[in-house]
């Protein structure tokens, strides 16, 4: 069965960096686009970033552009989110999500359990 | 950016009730519309894509309809396990955007 397992969350000071990982299993990781979505405490869902199946293309939300970098290693079936210059407003649970297809204009079908990132001094 | 507006933001209903949630896009998105269910402390669950296509394993009491700018999610007979928050999402253009959510509570 499809599994997405995030790791790397924690407490970090403003201005510091953190890298999240999402280990995928149960499907052919290398043929699907993958997303990061976050949810601040008590708030709704916010899409963060997407990477194409082969890593050749990516898009970001304006709120993280220039600070966050999405990447993937298809040989390790793993998606990453490098988060730099973190701000208190980046505090959220971060979910990775599998696209329904290889292209960008697909919805999601599976989600990970989430990783909590807390940005606080 | 495409804005997604859900209504109502919350509702109270009884077991067995038929419930309808509305989602409106700020511009036409054809049928590039998905619905998700989220229970407290849990990850979202994908219910519907392409406005009306049920994801694998989703019971048929859930149904979606609409095209263009106006969409609905209907739960035909509310059960205890359906009390949750529901989100719509457009994937017609980037950035992908979600509605603000509809919390379905027990009356």
């Amino acid at each position: 069965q499809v599994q997405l397992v995030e790791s790397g969350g924690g407490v970090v000071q403003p201005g510091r960096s953190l890298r999240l990982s999402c280990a995928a299993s149960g499907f052919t990781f290398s043929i699907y686009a993958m997303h990061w979505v976050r949810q601040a405490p008590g708030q709704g869902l916010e899409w963060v970033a997407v990477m194409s199946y082969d890593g050749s293309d990516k898009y970001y939300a304006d709120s993280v552009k220039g600070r966050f970098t999405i990447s993937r290693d298809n040989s390790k079936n793993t998606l990453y989110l490098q988060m730099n210059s973190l701000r208190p407003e980046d505090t959220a649970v971060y979910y990775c999500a599998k696209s329904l297809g290889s292209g960008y204009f697909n919805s999601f079908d599976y989600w990970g359990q989430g990783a909590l990132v807390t940005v606080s001094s | 950016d495409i804005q997604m507006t859900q209504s109502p933001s919350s509702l109270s209903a009884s077991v067995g009730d038929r419930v309808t949630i509305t989602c409106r896009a700020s511009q036409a998105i054809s049928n590039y519309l998905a619905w998700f269910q989220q229970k407290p402390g849990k990850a979202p669950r994908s219910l519907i894509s392409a406005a009306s296509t049920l994801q694998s394993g989703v019971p048929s009491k859930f149904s979606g309809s609409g095209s263009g700018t106006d969409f609905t999610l209907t739960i035909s007979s509310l059960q205890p396990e359906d009390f949750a928050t529901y989100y719509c999402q457009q994937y017609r253009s980037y950035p992908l955007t979600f509605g603000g959510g509809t919390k379905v509570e027990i009356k």
Side-chain angles (χ1 to χ4, degrees), chain B residues 9-76:
Chain B
S9 56
S10 66
L11 65 89
S12 294
S14 300
V15 172
D17 283 354
R18 179 183 180 90
V19 168
T20 297
I21 298 168
T22 297
C23 180
R24 175 166 288 175
S26 60
Q27 62 191 76
I29 59 171
S30 184
N31 69 335
Y32 289 77
L33 191 283
W35 290 98
F36 304 96
Q37 176 194 64
Q38 187 178 34
K39 297 180 180 179
K42 300 294 187 182
R45 173 195 181 193
S46 300
L47 297 178
I48 287 171
S49 63
S52 61
T53 301
L54 259 59
Q55 292 297 298
S56 175
V58 174
S60 59
K61 62 181 171 182
F62 291 98
S63 63
S65 65
S67 184
T69 60
D70 294 315
F71 302 86
T72 59
L73 172 70
T74 299
I75 309 171
S76 60

Side-chain angles (χ1 to χ4, degrees), chain A residues 20-73:
Chain A
L20 301 181
S21 300
C22 170
S25 61
F27 66 102
T28 306
F29 180 74
S30 61
I31 65 172
Y32 291 96
M34 294 292 295
H35 298 258
W36 288 100
V37 176
R38 69 184 180 182
Q39 186 170 37
Q43 303 301 309
L45 300 169
E46 180 188 16
W47 173 81
V48 172
V50 61
M51 174 159 269
S52 61
Y53 68 100
D54 61 356
S56 63
D57 210 357
K58 60 194 85 169
Y59 291 109
Y60 297 95
D62 285 346
S63 58
V64 306
K65 200 174 297 182
R67 300 186 300 122
F68 289 14
T69 301
I70 188 172
S71 62
R72 65 192 295 162
D73 185 337

